[in-house]
Amino acid sequence: MSATTTQKRTTHMRREIEEIPEATARLLDGSAAVLTEAGRGIRERDPQFVVTVARGSSDHAATFMKYAVELTAGLAVASVGPSIASIYGAKLKLGGSACLAISQSGKSPDIVAMAQAARAGGSLTVAITNTADSPLARASDYAIDILAGPERSVAATKTFVNSAVAGLALMAHSTGDDKLLAALAHLPEHFRKAIACDWMGLASALETPKSLFILGRGPSAAIANEAALKFKETCAMHAEAYSAAEVMHGPLALVGPDFPVLALAARDASEPSVAEAADSLAAKGAVVFVTSDKAKSAQHLPHVATGHPLTDPLALIVSFYGFVEAFARHRGLDPDTPPNLRKVTETI
């Protein structure tokens, strides 16, 4: 397919980005009963800690949930490597825990094996999946269908967002957080506004460089990881995600004149530190874009404030998805067909 054809046609990825508001509304309505039930089940179990099992974009959703649970429920969250069960056959002592397993297809053998091992080890298991009748759903105590609908683009967009929203709703039900539930109900309208945010001002800074940093902190650090993956998948461009604190250590050695940086700041307690890091990097000659009005020298990107610190980062990734799809086409690439990749990867 020629570059001109790619630039003009509507991609599967673009259509699916535009479906995000509707998909989120469908999840919050259609899976409300099981989210309530699973939340009650977690509350009754009263776990002492939480473990997550996932790969790829789903693991970024799990990392997002790690921050959310630790910040609001006061429970430590650990990511368990799926190979612990599938390759090494180790048995973990998970009594007194809840396990969150996230997979779009629900078919990857290593994710299923780890969920089964977690359940056998005493954990209350909850599957978050876009395939209701999947091996992962059947292996878990509760199965939440994220109801994102078919996703034809290799790069996950609406399934990532709905996985994160499902995790937040599950946590809100388990902790009785009415403010978070109210914020989730307003997300579809916020996502519509987020899709309309134009970030193509980034494009000129990315024409020549072969790599960039993407920064976040707290829940937005997970969003930075997801954004970096999408650059690699759709734009054939290397991107590295860092905490806005961590980047000021060893990675700072790579920053020089015209080095591109995207800083994803949410409206939460970390925003001042992310804005400060953005300005510090800009002072070193980097070309820095930040989603915060608190930065003085970094360039500001339009963003949607959702009114809740845990839903704010999700509006940022929706805006980013719109940009990265457009930037891939700008580079003459087809974001629907990244080389060497396929939609479902079933690792062992």
Side-chain angles (χ1 to χ4, degrees):
M1 183 176 294
S2 69
T4 302
T5 301
T6 301
Q7 289 170 351
K8 288 183 177 180
R9 78 176 181 87
T10 301
T11 64
H12 294 312
M13 186 177 179
R14 181 66 198 184
R15 279 192 290 268
E16 287 158 9
I17 293 166
E18 292 176 350
E19 289 169 10
I20 288 174
E22 179 185 350
T24 299
R26 188 165 56 241
L27 161 66
L28 294 172
D29 180 47
S31 289
V34 68
L35 285 165
T36 302
E37 181 186 5
R40 182 170 56 246
I42 293 174
R43 184 169 63 251
E44 291 172 352
R45 176 64 64 94
D46 189 21
Q48 300 303 299
F49 62 100
V50 176
V51 296
T52 64
V53 183
R55 289 199 187 280
S57 285
S58 294
D59 196 38
H60 300 154
T63 302
F64 176 78
M65 285 307 303
K66 168 185 169 65
Y67 282 105
V69 171
E70 290 177 347
L71 285 170
T72 63
L75 298 176
V77 182
S79 172
V80 178
S83 62
I84 292 297
S86 64
I87 296 295
Y88 297 102
K91 296 181 179 180
L92 300 180
K93 299 175 182 178
L94 296 175
S97 73
C99 173
L100 190 63
I102 307 176
S103 170
Q104 298 165 36
S105 68
K107 295 194 298 183
S108 191
D110 55 352
I111 303 295
V112 175
M114 190 63 244
Q116 291 170 331
R119 194 176 186 183
S123 188
L124 179 72
T125 54
V126 180
I128 293 180
T129 177
N130 200 37
T131 311
D133 184 25
S134 63
L136 181 62
R138 294 192 294 270
S140 304
D141 294 300
Y142 297 98
I144 298 168
D145 186 349
I146 63 172
L147 298 173
E151 191 173 57
R152 297 178 64 187
S153 174
V154 170
T157 53
K158 61 179 180 175
T159 53
F160 171 83
V161 172
N162 269 24
S163 294
V165 171
L168 288 180
L170 176 66
M171 186 184 70
H173 283 295
S174 67
T175 60
D177 191 337
D178 291 335
K179 289 184 178 179
L180 179 54
L181 287 172
L184 291 171
H186 289 292
L187 270 182
E189 61 191 79
H190 290 310
F191 286 161
R192 291 186 187 95
K193 295 175 183 177
I195 292 171
C197 287
D198 183 2
W199 287 13
M200 281 302 287
L202 279 166
S204 60
L206 300 175
E207 294 291 356
T208 303
K210 296 181 179 180
S211 185
L212 75 152
F213 285 167
I214 305 179
L215 310 183
R217 198 158 189 191
S220 69
I223 301 305
N225 282 324
E226 170 64 5
L229 176 62
K230 289 299 179 285
F231 260 115
K232 297 166 189 171
E233 285 180 328
T234 66
C235 298
M237 185 171 184
H238 182 260
E240 201 71 31
Y242 285 105
S243 158
E246 189 66 32
V247 76
M248 305 310 291
H249 295 275
L252 194 60
L254 295 177
V255 175
D258 299 325
F259 188 92
V261 178
L262 170 60
L264 299 175
R267 269 28 65 198
D268 66 8
S270 74
E271 184 179 8
S273 66
V274 177
E276 182 181 358
D279 283 340
S280 178
L281 293 172
K284 299 181 186 306
V287 182
V288 186
F289 295 82
V290 62
T291 58
S292 173
D293 297 331
K294 296 184 182 298
K296 294 179 174 61
S297 52
Q299 300 178 57
H300 297 171
L301 287 174
H303 56 272
V304 173
T306 66
H308 195 288
L310 291 180
T311 55
D312 229 59
L314 298 182
L316 294 179
I317 197 61
V318 171
S319 295
F320 171 82
Y321 283 154
F323 161 73
V324 81
E325 185 274 342
F327 185 61
R329 290 186 290 104
H330 173 77
R331 288 168 65 89
L333 301 172
D334 181 359
D336 288 340
T337 59
N340 305 321
L341 298 179
R342 58 180 181 174
K343 184 61 184 171
V344 178
T345 302
E346 297 184 14
T347 47
I348 297 175

